[in-house]
Amino acid sequence: MLSCVGYAATAADAPLKPFAFDRRDTGPDDVRIDILYCGVCHSDLHQARNEWQNTIYPCVPGHEIVGRVAETGPSVTRFKAGDMVGVGCMVDSCRECTSCRDGLEQYCETGFVATYNGEDRHGRGITFGGYSRAIVVDQSFVLRVPDTLDPAAASPLLCAGITTWSPLRHWKVGPGQRVGIVGLGGLGHMGVKFARALGAEVVLFTTSPGKVTDGLRLGAHEVVLSKDAGAMAKERGRFDFILDAVAAEHDINAYLDLLRRDGTMVQVGAPEQPLPVSVFSLLMKRRSFAGSLIGGIPETQEMLDFCGRHNITADIEMIRMDEIETAYARMLRSDVKYRFVIDMATMPQAA
Ligand SMILES: [Zn+2]
Ligand SMILES: [Zn+2]
């Protein structure tokens, strides 16, 4: 076993602190990764604070992992020591159901194994995530990170990136389409970059006048302030596709009205309470309202390769491991442009 140090929450109301634990030995199909960077996802905070009422403590969050391969098992063919690799939200799945066979492991019918707070299929209890020095993962759930990308700025691609990429690809967003992105945060800023790079005409919707300049810099052709009723009215019926990345309570019907006939709006932000949907708005123009969860392993690799070709990464703020609680507090105020990333060199050597 590999002794490892991470940062863990030990209770819903306790700050994260150093935590010593073991990783499994590198098995035949395993890749052992020395973690260099880990992005800070809003899910990390929900889980650490038990806001979904399913956290098992101690909890080591982190599922936007980038690092170098330190060791590979004898059956590993696709990776070798020294490779830059990534691990996202999943570390295993059943691999037999139709979703797994289709490369959509996030919809595994028996449930995928989450990178942290998941039930380990190697008989080791609960999985521990990327706020740690190292991780051991089956090669089927390890991604290649193009060498041309800054590895720190690439780490948010593993969750924020794929969460926005997957629906844009599934609904075939591309040239000739007018695409709306709702909300400019960790997810939304990736949505803007991807939709632009895929050739769509991109409109960002935000409540913050302070984000207009950034929206344009990140690739939006236009920015609409969603509190401006006049500006919203002008956009009615003009969109082929809208990606809604807002997790807070908000009026989705204001956006459904912006879709043209047969347009689709996809929710990737996850508000806690059910949202009222105007069925009239859907049926008058045969509109669709859908959801989408992260993305499968093949499409995550496709996204990373696309990012390599187009030089796309997240806009990040690097933090030290011991700054995580401050980062969480700032995240709650949406005070981050646009993702915190932990420099794992700042992880203590011992707990
Ligand atoms: Zn995430
Ligand atoms: Zn499955």
Side-chain angles (χ1 to χ4, degrees):
M1 279 185 304
L2 176 75
S3 47
C4 191
V5 179
Y7 248 55
T10 50
D13 55 358
L16 272 70
K17 57 173 200 250
F19 168 64
F21 61 101
D22 292 327
R23 295 288 190 190
R24 68 174 184 261
D25 285 326
T26 308
D29 283 298
D30 282 340
V31 177
R32 175 159 66 84
I33 302 162
D34 287 337
I35 300 176
L36 297 173
Y37 302 101
C38 185
V40 180
C41 176
H42 216 111
S43 305
D44 301 354
L45 177 55
H46 287 303
Q47 205 76 68
R49 305 283 198 253
N50 196 24
E51 284 163 5
W52 294 326
Q53 276 93 48
N54 67 350
T55 304
I56 296 156
Y57 294 103
C59 170
V60 177
H63 60 203
E64 294 185 338
I65 299 166
V66 168
R68 279 202 191 279
V69 174
E71 185 187 17
T72 56
S75 304
V76 174
T77 49
R78 291 159 49 235
F79 302 99
K80 58 178 191 315
D83 287 353
M84 192 66 78
V85 294
V87 177
C89 304
M90 307 181 283
V91 289
D92 212 340
S93 69
C94 86
R95 308 180 195 208
E96 287 168 356
C97 71
T98 50
S99 292
C100 285
R101 284 204 306 269
D102 288 343
L104 296 168
E105 302 86 352
Q106 75 274 33
Y107 303 119
C108 174
E109 277 133 53
T110 67
F112 65 83
V113 178
T115 302
Y116 62 85
N117 203 60
E119 202 177 318
D120 190 53
R121 286 179 194 245
H122 292 79
R124 297 188 55 80
I126 297 302
T127 54
F128 292 134
Y131 295 7
S132 57
R133 304 191 71 89
I135 192 166
V136 178
V137 178
D138 187 292
Q139 61 172 334
S140 302
F141 287 79
V142 178
L143 289 312
R144 285 180 304 280
V145 176
D147 286 326
T148 50
L149 297 178
D150 169 12
S155 62
L157 298 174
L158 278 306
C159 175
I162 187 59
T163 298
T164 49
W165 175 262
S166 180
L168 291 170
R169 293 288 287 157
H170 180 73
W171 277 276
K172 298 184 171 55
V173 162
Q177 293 182 11
R178 193 167 161 86
V179 169
I181 307 290
V182 184
L184 189 63
L187 295 177
H189 95 291
M190 291 311 308
V192 168
K193 290 185 187 204
F194 285 148
R196 175 71 186 245
L198 287 166
E201 189 188 342
V202 183
V203 180
L204 170 71
F205 293 91
T206 175
T207 53
S208 322
K211 286 183 173 172
V212 173
T213 315
D214 257 11
L216 297 170
R217 176 182 62 80
L218 292 165
H221 294 91
E222 264 177 68
V223 180
V224 173
L225 292 173
S226 50
K227 287 174 179 162
D228 180 343
M232 290 294 280
K234 274 189 215 144
E235 300 296 336
R236 239 173 245 153
R238 297 186 64 201
F239 285 82
D240 300 281
F241 184 86
I242 296 176
L243 186 73
D244 185 339
V246 176
E249 216 171 294
H250 62 296
D251 178 17
I252 54 161
N253 299 303
Y255 296 101
L256 286 175
D257 281 345
L258 308 188
L259 293 171
R260 63 171 101 246
R261 195 203 74 222
D262 289 325
T264 299
M265 171 157 160
V266 175
Q267 198 67 37
V268 289
E272 238 167 273
Q273 299 300 323
L275 297 170
V277 176
S278 160
V279 173
F280 246 97
S281 177
L282 295 181
L283 58 83
M284 290 307 284
K285 287 192 185 290
R286 200 163 57 186
R287 292 162 171 148
S288 302
F289 180 56
S292 179
L293 178 71
I294 48 176
I297 294 298
E299 63 185 344
T300 306
Q301 190 61 61
E302 175 199 68
M303 171 207 63
L304 288 166
D305 295 344
F306 180 90
C307 288
R309 288 196 303 279
H310 294 262
N311 197 30
I312 295 173
T313 54
D315 284 29
I316 64 162
E317 287 188 48
M318 195 93 84
I319 60 164
R320 298 172 43 82
M321 188 68 252
D322 60 12
E323 292 173 324
I324 188 66
E325 289 293 333
T326 318
Y328 282 167
R330 284 185 54 197
M331 242 165 56
L332 284 172
R333 304 192 298 265
S334 301
D335 174 24
V336 49
K337 289 188 171 170
Y338 281 91
R339 203 66 150 178
F340 288 116
V341 170
I342 305 161
D343 179 358
M344 221 44 74
T346 64
M347 178 68 78
Q349 294 290 333

